[in-house]
Amino acid sequence: MSAQLSTFVAPRPNATLMRVLEPVNRLFNLSGIPGLRRVPCLNAIPGIRGLTNITQVDFPQADLARLRCAANRDTAAFLVLNHPEFFTDWMVDKEIMSRLDIRPGCWATHTIVNGMGKWAQKFWLANNLIAQIPGRGRAGKDHSVELAKRGDGVLLHPEGGVHWVGDQIGPCFPGVTDMARQAASDLAANGSDRPVFIAPLVYKYRFLADETHALQEAMTYLEKGLGMIPSQGRLERRLIHVYDGLNMHVAQRHGITMSHSTFWERHAAVAVGLARKLAGHLNVDVPEGTEFHMAEAVLRQQKRRKRAAPGQTNLTEVAKLADDLRKILRLQPWMYPGVSFSQEQIAECIQRLRSDWLTVRMKDRVHAFVPQPVGRRVVHIRVLDPIEIPATQMDVPPQTLRAIMQDGLDRLNIEIAPDQKGPVRPNPFLS
């Protein structure tokens, strides 16, 4: 079995293994071990308290019933979910699937499925993970369509990567709508009346207590790791101090002039400056569009060039520009449009900064792979109305799916607002 990153290998699901791992996931990865997780000192061990510290799962029976109607042996179902966190989302995915009568194939990054060697690859494939390889996605899509058509279903996150944003749905890729349309067309051509559904779900993670003190400690750790003198005061001001410091450091490293107006103008100036320099090295035209869209387009060109000819775009200066631009683009205005800021948003910003900028120490590299929250949490799960895809229907545009999921997430936030813990802070990025 090949372990090369460029090779697609079809999953070989092992039903027994997946069933055995369900209680392991529930205890070790989510809630922790009852009784022991409340013992002082012992509860400092991540596996004892649950790696993701999810002690409550709010998944109403009505929502589960709605999902089961769309995802069962008699349907072709594509389950789509928002992607606010790395690792945690996957563990919650597994908890949801444990409550279904089917075991969908799950999309995962190729660096997980294929990047850890032969035996790890065998384990992931036995868990029914589908490796999606950038630039070589047809095999994964074809396999997914076949799974859906025979009633097994497919689960994926249409945003692709993790933005570390809990209250906004990021731009969605068209893959799921393309696959659903293909499945509907194939089934109709074969005379099957099996319905095809896109079943959207939304998650929201919420702390069960005011975690201000723990977040202050996490912020201090971040500042020290970045080589900054720990600041004092309110969390939102410390956060903007870190982001401004990083913008200034990157701008000075690449000779970029920053404006001294609003935060978003300063941040955009760094993104545009990096994108123009990168475009110059690649000898490509700077695309039109808003500052951040333009910078993203240049970065996509660099990624495509790197996949096509790895050695030619791996020059030191190009690599530094691309890496800094990628990290700068991890924060954009669409992520935080509101005037207020919750403790969950403070926490996700700290996690995003730590996973992007602290990559030297082994402790931080492990944390990026299995991030640890600062306190106990509940995950709220809601199932939106399934979208039936007739064979004669045009593809559902990705922006339409994004709008549907955003509306569902907004309604969920309104529903749980009375239970929100911690102070409501002003949005630091609007200052």
Side-chain angles (χ1 to χ4, degrees):
M1 181 181 298
S2 173
Q4 295 300 313
L5 296 181
S6 59
T7 302
F8 173 79
V9 181
R12 299 173 183 174
N14 184 318
T16 301
L17 174 66
M18 290 188 283
R19 281 196 298 270
V20 168
L21 289 177
E22 285 174 2
V24 174
N25 173 64
R26 195 169 294 129
L27 293 176
F28 186 77
N29 294 323
L30 292 176
S31 65
I33 301 175
L36 293 181
R37 68 161 290 120
R38 297 183 178 276
V39 178
C41 296
L42 271 181
N43 59 13
I45 302 173
I48 298 295
R49 68 167 184 262
L51 288 176
T52 62
N53 221 344
I54 302 290
T55 60
Q56 296 180 25
V57 177
D58 170 28
F59 192 6
Q61 283 299 314
D63 289 81
L64 178 57
R66 188 179 303 116
L67 181 59
R68 284 174 170 167
C69 285
N72 56 66
R73 286 292 175 191
D74 297 321
T75 67
F78 294 87
L79 284 63
V80 295
L81 312 96
N82 58 322
H83 209 353
E85 290 192 13
F86 187 76
F87 184 78
T88 307
D89 296 346
W90 187 13
M91 299 305 107
V92 176
D93 291 347
K94 294 171 75 66
E95 176 63 21
I96 289 174
M97 289 187 292
S98 73
R99 305 185 187 199
L100 298 176
D101 296 326
I102 60 173
R103 291 293 181 267
C106 302
W107 277 31
T109 173
H110 65 294
T111 55
I112 296 294
V113 180
N114 291 344
M116 299 181 179
K118 180 175 67 174
W119 294 110
Q121 184 191 51
K122 185 176 181 179
F123 174 78
W124 299 130
L125 296 178
N127 274 278
N128 211 11
L129 265 60
I130 302 169
Q132 187 58 22
I133 302 171
R136 305 188 183 192
R138 191 66 258 170
K141 289 181 179 179
D142 290 343
H143 179 81
S144 299
V145 170
E146 292 304 314
L147 283 181
K149 289 192 304 184
R150 71 187 188 209
D152 291 318
V154 178
L155 182 148
L156 69 161
H157 297 266
E159 295 168 89
V162 176
H163 298 293
W164 281 101
V165 178
D167 291 335
Q168 299 294 318
I169 305 296
C172 295
F173 290 95
V176 65
T177 56
D178 293 344
M179 290 186 295
R181 177 68 178 81
Q182 184 63 54
S185 177
D186 289 353
L187 288 168
N190 292 328
S192 172
D193 60 357
R194 184 191 294 270
V196 178
F197 292 107
I198 294 177
L201 297 87
V202 289
Y203 298 158
K204 176 59 186 286
Y205 303 112
R206 180 176 59 81
F207 287 115
L208 291 169
D210 182 349
E211 298 291 351
T212 298
H213 177 71
L215 289 170
Q216 291 280 13
E217 291 184 336
M219 185 69 77
T220 297
Y221 179 90
L222 176 67
E223 290 170 326
K224 289 181 177 179
L226 292 171
M228 299 179 180
I229 298 174
S231 55
Q232 303 296 322
R234 295 173 62 87
L235 278 165
E236 66 272 21
R237 298 312 308 162
R238 296 181 71 182
L239 180 65
I240 207 71
H241 174 74
V242 169
Y243 270 113
D244 267 333
L246 289 171
N247 277 331
M248 185 175 298
H249 174 72
V250 172
Q252 290 176 346
R253 177 158 61 192
H254 296 286
I256 297 169
T257 301
M258 275 199 313
S259 63
H260 297 281
S261 187
T262 68
F263 170 80
W264 287 125
E265 288 172 342
R266 296 192 296 272
H267 196 64
V270 178
V272 170
L274 290 171
R276 292 187 183 281
K277 287 180 177 290
L278 182 58
H281 280 284
L282 298 175
N283 195 26
V284 297
D285 293 331
V286 176
E288 296 183 356
T290 64
E291 294 99 329
F292 293 100
H293 287 164
M294 178 272 288
E296 285 181 326
V298 172
L299 191 59
R300 284 194 296 271
Q301 292 186 65
Q302 186 270 339
K303 290 178 179 178
R304 285 194 293 268
R305 187 81 64 85
K306 183 176 181 180
R307 285 198 297 267
Q312 295 180 20
T313 58
N314 200 31
L315 302 176
T316 302
E317 184 62 22
V318 172
K320 286 182 179 179
L321 281 166
D323 185 55
D324 282 342
L325 180 56
R326 178 190 62 80
K327 290 186 284 192
I328 292 296
L329 289 175
R330 294 275 281 160
L331 177 70
Q332 297 188 37
W334 66 262
M335 299 176 177
Y336 301 106
V339 297
S340 61
F341 227 67
S342 66
Q343 64 174 350
E344 286 77 16
Q345 289 172 312
I346 293 285
E348 70 191 27
C349 285
I350 294 174
Q351 294 281 41
R352 187 192 308 115
L353 284 164
R354 183 174 176 181
S355 65
D356 287 347
W357 295 90
L358 300 186
T359 59
V360 176
R361 292 191 295 183
M362 178 58 70
K363 178 180 180 179
D364 293 317
R365 291 201 296 270
V366 171
H367 183 88
F369 189 74
V370 186
Q372 299 293 297
V374 298
R376 295 185 305 117
R377 301 186 294 173
V378 54
V379 56
H380 301 279
I381 307 169
R382 297 296 182 268
V383 179
L384 313 183
D385 290 334
I387 306 166
E388 186 167 2
I389 310 295
T392 56
Q393 179 177 313
M394 298 296 290
D395 292 341
V396 177
Q399 58 268 29
T400 299
L401 180 60
R402 182 186 187 185
I404 290 171
M405 295 180 70
Q406 185 64 58
D407 178 68
L409 185 56
D410 291 342
R411 285 187 280 112
L412 174 56
N413 274 322
I414 292 171
E415 175 191 342
I416 66 175
D419 298 321
Q420 181 66 46
K421 300 296 190 295
V424 176
R425 308 171 187 277
N427 185 339
F429 303 120
L430 299 182
S431 60

